[in-house]
Amino acid sequence: MEHLVYEIPSGLSSEFDVDLVGLEETSPRIEESFSRHVSIRRARWPGWLRGLTTIPVGYINLARYIKANRPDVVLTLSGIGINGLVVGLAGRRFGIPTVNRVTSDIFKVWWHKGGVFGRLSLFVRNNVLGRLSIRLSTKVVILHRDFRSRFRSKSIQNKLVAIPQPMAFPDADPNQARNIREGLGIPADARVASCIGRLAPDKNIPLLLRVAKRAMEERSDLHVIIAGSGPLEETVRRAARSESRFHVLGEIERGRVPAILQASDVFLSTARPGGEGLSTAIAEAIHFNVPVVATASGPGTLAMVPTASMDETALVKGLVDESTPQGVMPENMDPADNAGCWRDLVRSLIEDRVTG
């Protein structure tokens, strides 16, 4: 998430003064991306009470900022049910255009949350408060135009603007691929499938393991690299102990991702429906011309991987078959193009406010 909070305001700051209105604690990288940091003190209340008062306290602090600074536009990049509602309410009160941002198939995310209370809490946050914040917003940024299908109301669809997350892709380096294979003891002529991401329930790890095992049974030269950490990492490691062609790397540095992808012949993503917005890992695989096998986890994935399927046998075939097609890169992910989209959006809101 930090690279988004870093890239988007950096792109806007070439034309606008961009204030960060938030808690005192931020990373130096984020701090440098903004013209100014307006700090909000964290309430020193017990955790349960702080949770209940997040929206009213956030609203009061944002209202104070707006009264003192009179910004032209207020936007939030994440947290549509909390931050989005605060921004939407304040914008309506003070007559300031607001921008909200939907980062996933939010209305289905609660399905995969563990526990009754967790599901109920997430449903209220996204499906109740999130829908309200969308109605209050002037514009709503979605990650791909195909997400429009999730909004039936014509008035809401008129608010939608498709801008993906910005991504800077490194150049290909064949030496990196060779080093990865040699380091893991994978023959140069072997077929390699990789999966990079958080090992959590929303990534459907049981399906990932079943598909990988079935594919390895069908191809004796297939190796599977799984990189990432999370609550199900130990489950993955246990499943991999009986097969030497499973390579579980655990948490890796961000800089190793390009090397793993370049060492791969195919990329596998098994996210559950609603669990993905616009997958960064899939976009990176497409950049390096690695064919992608993926579940139909949402509009963003289907747009990038037209062959995405929930059929397990089809996923296995995709790993085994060397004719698996490459994916489609979304428009405007390049940081320069992406920054232009954000500047156009903010500029149009300011112009509409002046002329309206």
Side-chain angles (χ1 to χ4, degrees):
M1 176 57 69
E2 178 172 305
H3 75 280
L4 295 176
V5 182
Y6 162 74
E7 291 281 1
I8 293 174
S10 292
L12 287 170
S13 61
S14 64
E15 184 173 338
F16 308 100
D17 289 330
V18 186
D19 287 352
L20 168 62
V21 183
L23 297 175
E24 294 172 302
E25 309 91 5
T26 59
S27 74
R29 187 182 185 191
I30 292 178
E31 193 82 31
E32 293 170 0
S33 304
F34 291 86
S35 308
R36 183 173 56 143
H37 180 186
V38 181
S39 297
I40 294 175
R41 291 182 178 274
R42 188 188 295 272
R44 300 184 183 279
W45 299 331
W48 64 270
L49 181 59
R50 193 163 61 235
L52 290 175
T53 58
T54 298
I55 292 175
V57 169
Y59 174 80
I60 290 169
N61 282 301
L62 182 57
R64 288 173 179 167
Y65 166 80
I66 291 174
K67 286 180 180 178
N69 297 277
R70 305 305 299 179
D72 295 298
V73 178
V74 179
L75 60 87
T76 181
L77 302 180
S78 63
I80 192 165
I82 305 297
N83 298 338
L85 185 57
V86 168
V87 166
L89 289 169
R92 284 296 181 98
R93 176 185 172 185
F94 293 101
I96 294 174
T98 56
V99 179
N100 234 312
R101 185 168 174 270
V102 178
T103 57
S104 67
D105 203 355
I106 60 168
F107 304 131
K108 293 184 177 181
V109 174
W110 67 276
W111 292 357
H112 314 300
K113 186 71 173 179
V116 174
F117 179 78
R119 287 190 175 187
L120 179 60
S121 174
L122 197 55
F123 180 86
V124 171
R125 187 186 309 168
N126 287 348
N127 296 53
V128 179
L129 301 182
R131 288 184 186 274
L132 177 57
S133 70
I134 288 171
R135 291 192 173 277
L136 292 171
S137 301
T138 310
K139 291 291 183 181
V140 178
V141 171
I142 53 177
L143 299 182
H144 193 280
R145 60 179 178 272
D146 286 7
F147 275 92
R148 290 180 178 275
S149 63
R150 292 296 188 259
F151 303 89
R152 297 179 180 178
S153 167
K154 188 68 174 179
S155 62
I156 298 299
Q157 288 199 353
N158 290 336
K159 296 181 177 186
L160 303 179
V161 181
I163 308 177
Q165 66 264 33
M167 284 190 64
F169 299 104
D171 294 331
D173 182 354
N175 291 326
Q176 290 187 334
R178 186 164 51 251
N179 292 340
I180 288 290
R181 287 191 175 228
E182 290 178 354
L184 295 175
I186 300 175
D189 59 349
R191 182 167 174 80
V192 175
S194 62
C195 176
I196 303 172
R198 182 167 164 76
L199 303 180
D202 61 325
K203 303 303 182 184
N204 206 342
I205 301 305
L207 176 62
L208 167 68
L209 295 173
R210 290 198 307 272
V211 169
K213 286 184 175 181
R214 286 181 57 185
M216 284 191 288
E217 289 172 359
E218 292 194 25
R219 281 196 66 147
S220 60
D221 67 336
L222 177 65
H223 289 247
V224 177
I225 299 174
I226 300 178
S229 61
L232 297 181
E233 181 180 347
E234 187 54 37
T235 299
V236 173
R237 290 189 180 279
R238 283 199 302 270
R241 285 171 189 154
S242 60
E243 176 53 71
S244 62
R245 288 178 288 142
F246 253 129
H247 308 275
V248 182
L249 307 186
E251 186 173 2
I252 60 171
E253 295 180 359
R254 178 80 185 133
R256 291 189 70 194
V257 171
I260 294 171
L261 290 172
Q262 291 173 80
S264 305
D265 298 292
V266 63
F267 181 81
L268 175 63
S269 171
T270 57
R272 296 180 185 276
E276 291 277 70
L278 200 64
S279 169
T280 298
I282 291 178
E284 288 178 304
I286 294 171
H287 169 73
F288 288 111
N289 298 315
V290 179
V292 177
V293 174
T295 49
S297 57
T301 301
L302 283 166
M304 290 192 289
V305 189
T307 57
S309 171
M310 296 305 298
D311 180 68
E312 184 173 320
T313 299
L315 298 175
V316 173
K317 185 176 184 297
L319 292 191
V320 172
D321 194 345
E322 296 191 14
S323 63
T324 299
Q326 294 181 2
V328 181
M329 181 67 77
E331 298 177 346
N332 299 319
M333 293 194 87
D334 176 79
D337 296 337
N338 194 272
C341 292
W342 278 99
R343 288 195 298 269
D344 289 345
L345 172 60
V346 172
R347 195 184 304 117
S348 69
L349 289 171
I350 295 173
E351 291 172 355
D352 289 347
R353 187 184 183 196
V354 171
T355 58

